[in-house]
């Protein structure tokens, strides 16, 4: 059975490309470590640049509910 890991971290108020790079790096490292045993849920795969916060958060919450684990990036508590 596959494990679903949601990446959580700060985005609001940050440079979009910088935040995306951090999330993408985390996704890469998780896949490198766990391989096909995990499915990484990266908010940057379904949220768009400039998207209104409340719409992005609705998508994030729905996707989060499908996951078994959360990988927290530094500063996640401000997310």
């Amino acid at each position: 059975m596959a494990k679903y890991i949601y990446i959580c971290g700060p985005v609001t108020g940050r440079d979009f490309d910088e935040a995306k790079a951090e999330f993408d790096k985390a996704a890469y490292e998780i896949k490198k470590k766990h391989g096909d045993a995990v499915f990484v849920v990266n908010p940057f795969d379904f949220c768009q640049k400039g998207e209104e916060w409340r719409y992005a958060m609705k998508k994030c919450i729905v996707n989060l509910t499908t996951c078994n684990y959360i990988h927290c990036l530094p500063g996640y508590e401000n997310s």
Side-chain angles (χ1 to χ4, degrees):
M1 182 171 150
K3 296 177 184 175
Y4 287 77
I5 301 174
Y6 184 89
I7 301 174
C8 174
V11 176
T12 302
R14 295 181 64 195
D15 176 75
F16 181 88
D17 294 327
E18 179 183 295
K20 182 179 183 327
E22 182 179 13
F23 277 69
D24 289 347
K25 180 180 178 190
Y28 173 80
E29 293 296 327
I30 292 166
K31 287 299 285 183
K32 182 178 170 184
K33 182 176 181 179
H34 299 285
D36 292 335
V38 301
F39 181 78
V40 179
V41 180
N42 182 346
F44 284 92
D45 291 341
F46 52 83
C47 293
Q48 307 300 313
K49 185 175 185 175
E51 186 169 23
E52 191 172 327
W53 179 85
R54 65 183 173 149
Y55 294 119
M57 287 308 301
K58 286 179 184 180
K59 290 179 188 179
C60 290
I61 291 168
V62 167
N63 280 280
L64 176 60
T65 65
T66 69
C67 295
N68 311 91
Y69 302 94
I70 300 174
H71 177 84
C72 296
L73 296 175
Y76 76 93
E77 61 277 355
N78 298 319
S79 176

